[in-house]
Amino acid sequence: MNGLTSFQIIPDILPSFLSVMLLVFLIFLTIQAGKTQRENQLFAIFCLLLLGHRLVITGCRYLDSGAPALTLFRVVHLGFVFILPVSVHYVHRSLGRFSGKASAVLIPAFYIFSLLLVPLIPTESYVSAGTNREKPWIPSPGPVFSLFLGVSVLTLLAYTVHLIRLRRTMTLTDSPEHARWVYLSAGFIPTFFLILGDALPLYGFDMPYTGSFVFIPLGIFTFGIFTRQILDNKGWFSISHIPNFLTALTWLPLVLALVFFAATHDRLFYQDIASRLVPLGLPPIVSCLGCFALATFCFQKGSRKVQT
C-alpha cells in the first residue's frame, strides 16, 4: 500500500483527458480524408504532435525521478518542434490569402528552423534536469528552448495581427472563406496560445499546464468541421460515425482501468483484491457493465436511425 500513498490524482487530469480524447478523435477524423487533401494532412499531423506532447506532459508527473521525465520530454520534442512550421503551413493552405512568394519563403524557412533544432534537443542547451525538488519532472529550459519559444510567440502574434487585418478585406460574412477565418481565429489560434503556455512552469511559474485546456478551442474548431465543412471530411467520416465513436469512448475508461490495474497491481492495490471483490464488489461491477452495455445499445440504435 506504500505505492498508493504516493499516487495522487492530478487536479487537471480531467481537462488533460478530454484534450487527449478530442485529439484522438480529430486524428481519426482527418487522417483518412487527408490522403488527398494537404490541408487535412497538416491538421492531422498538428493533432498528432500535440497528442504526443500532452501524453508526455501529463504522464511525466507520475514518475518518481526526473531522469526518465527528461528523456521523454526530449524524445517527444524531436517531433514537437515541427508544430510551428506545420501550423504556419496549415494557416497558409487553409486561408489561401497569402501570396505565393510569401508562402514559398516562409514555410520552408520555418521547416529549416525546426530541423536545425533537432540535433540540439538531446543536449542541455535545449532542456536540462529540473531543479524543483517538489516537481522533479519539470525540466529546466536552456537557451535553445528559449529561442524556439521566442520565435513561436513572435510568429503567433504576427499571424494573429494578420488575421485581424484580414477580416477587414472580407465582404461576405456567410462565405466559406469567412467561416475558415472565424474558426481559425476562435479555435486554432487560441489552441496555439495554450500550447505555448505549457512552457511557463519550466520558467518557475507555479501554475497548471495551460495546454490541458486545449479541448475548449479545439472543440470550437470541431464544431466548425461539422457545421461549416472547414475540413474535407466527406470521404471517410460523417455524422453516422459519431455513435460508433461514442461507443468506443464509453468502453475506453474500462479498458484503460484494466491496463492500469495489470501494470500497477503489485504497487497500488491489495494483493488479495480478487477475494475482496467477492461477493460485495460484484453488484457495482455488474451495474457498471450493465450501464456500459445499455449505452452501447442506445448509441448503436441511434446509429441505425442516422443511416436510414
Side-chain angles (χ1 to χ4, degrees):
M1 290 295 292
N2 293 333
L4 183 60
T5 58
S6 62
F7 182 83
Q8 300 177 355
I9 298 298
I10 302 172
D12 59 342
I13 191 66
L14 180 58
S16 296
F17 176 78
L18 292 175
S19 297
V20 168
M21 290 298 99
L22 183 55
L23 286 168
V24 171
F25 171 68
L26 289 173
I27 290 171
F28 279 111
L29 173 65
T30 58
I31 198 169
Q32 291 295 328
K35 289 180 178 180
T36 57
Q37 296 291 332
R38 176 66 65 182
E39 183 181 337
N40 289 43
Q41 293 174 345
L42 291 169
F43 186 70
I45 294 173
F46 172 85
C47 292
L48 187 61
L49 294 175
L50 182 54
L51 175 63
H53 179 69
R54 288 256 51 82
L55 290 175
V56 168
I57 289 294
T58 304
C60 282
R61 288 179 286 183
Y62 287 112
L63 299 176
D64 297 329
S65 172
L70 177 62
T71 301
L72 288 174
F73 189 90
R74 287 173 171 173
V75 169
V76 77
H77 269 249
L78 291 172
F80 185 73
V81 290
F82 288 95
I83 200 168
L84 177 60
V86 168
S87 300
V88 171
H89 197 172
Y90 173 75
V91 172
H92 280 244
R93 293 284 304 193
S94 179
L95 281 179
R97 281 297 193 104
F98 299 87
S99 66
K101 185 176 180 180
S103 298
V105 173
L106 289 175
I107 294 175
F110 280 111
Y111 278 108
I112 293 173
F113 171 73
S114 295
L115 189 62
L116 292 176
L117 295 180
V118 170
L120 301 174
I121 291 176
T123 68
E124 293 190 354
S125 60
Y126 192 77
V127 289
S128 58
T131 58
N132 191 331
R133 295 184 178 181
E134 296 181 357
K135 301 177 180 179
W137 61 84
I138 299 180
S140 297
V144 177
F145 180 86
S146 299
L147 174 64
F148 169 65
L149 179 63
V151 172
S152 299
V153 171
L154 292 176
T155 303
L156 178 60
L157 292 176
Y159 276 86
T160 301
V161 172
H162 182 74
L163 284 175
I164 294 174
R165 292 178 176 177
L166 192 61
R167 173 62 183 87
R168 301 173 184 174
T169 65
M170 296 182 181
T171 56
L172 299 177
T173 57
D174 59 344
S175 64
E177 182 185 53
H178 182 266
R180 291 172 181 269
W181 179 90
V182 168
Y183 289 106
L184 276 176
S185 302
F188 193 78
I189 297 297
T191 297
F192 211 91
F193 270 109
L194 292 176
I195 295 171
L196 295 181
D198 277 342
L200 294 178
L202 277 68
Y203 289 92
F205 292 90
D206 188 12
M207 58 180 292
Y209 289 102
T210 57
S212 300
F213 300 91
V214 295
F215 72 92
I216 299 175
L218 280 180
I220 297 174
F221 195 83
T222 305
F223 178 78
I225 292 177
F226 288 109
T227 59
R228 300 303 296 269
Q229 297 294 323
I230 58 176
L231 284 177
D232 179 16
N233 63 310
K234 298 178 181 179
W236 175 73
F237 194 93
S238 63
I239 298 297
S240 62
H241 290 80
I242 293 181
N244 294 329
F245 175 77
L246 292 175
T247 300
L249 193 62
T250 299
W251 288 94
L252 182 61
L254 177 61
V255 174
L256 293 178
L258 293 176
V259 173
F260 177 76
F261 174 76
T264 61
H265 138 276
D266 292 336
R267 295 185 295 112
L268 301 181
F269 297 93
Y270 292 103
Q271 299 294 330
D272 56 343
I273 189 172
S275 61
R276 294 172 179 266
L277 292 177
V278 180
L280 298 181
L282 290 180
I285 292 177
V286 173
S287 298
C288 288
L289 292 176
C291 291
F292 289 164
L294 180 61
T296 301
F297 172 77
C298 294
F299 290 147
Q300 294 305 313
K301 185 177 180 180
S303 176
R304 289 192 293 270
K305 288 183 178 181
V306 170
Q307 293 174 358
T308 57

